[in-house]
Amino acid sequence: MALNYYVQRQYVENGERKTPANYPYGTRAEAEKQYALMVSAMWNNEINVADPNMKVELESVELGTIESGKIKREVLQHVKPEPEPEPEPEPEPEGE
């Protein structure tokens, strides 16, 4: 019996869960390749987490079969770094 593979990406953006990608595959090799590409994109978002335009808070990529479910899943929570505090201006030296 041939298995039907899938790769699914889910993420949370501004508190809302989204599933923009759910791909079917006929072979595990094809599914593994897409899984690797999606995990790589997820880590690219982690590298760019300080970008103010990046609004994704949590991502997951799952590889599995329709017949038996999940084979593996990678989950990454993107925690935005706290902004650096503004330096206090140095006081002007008093004249002598």
Side-chain angles (χ1 to χ4, degrees), residues 35 39 42-43 58-61 73-78:
Y35 177 82
V39 169
M42 183 171 69
W43 279 102
L58 177 77
E59 286 183 88
S60 73
V61 178
R73 178 184 297 142
E74 182 90 18
V75 177
L76 186 59
Q77 183 172 4
H78 302 294

Side-chain angles (χ1 to χ4, degrees), residues 3 17-18 28 38 48 50 61 66 86:
L3 296 175
R17 182 177 168 214
K18 299 182 179 186
R28 182 161 182 164
M38 291 177 124
N48 296 319
V61 178
I66 294 170
E86 298 272 333

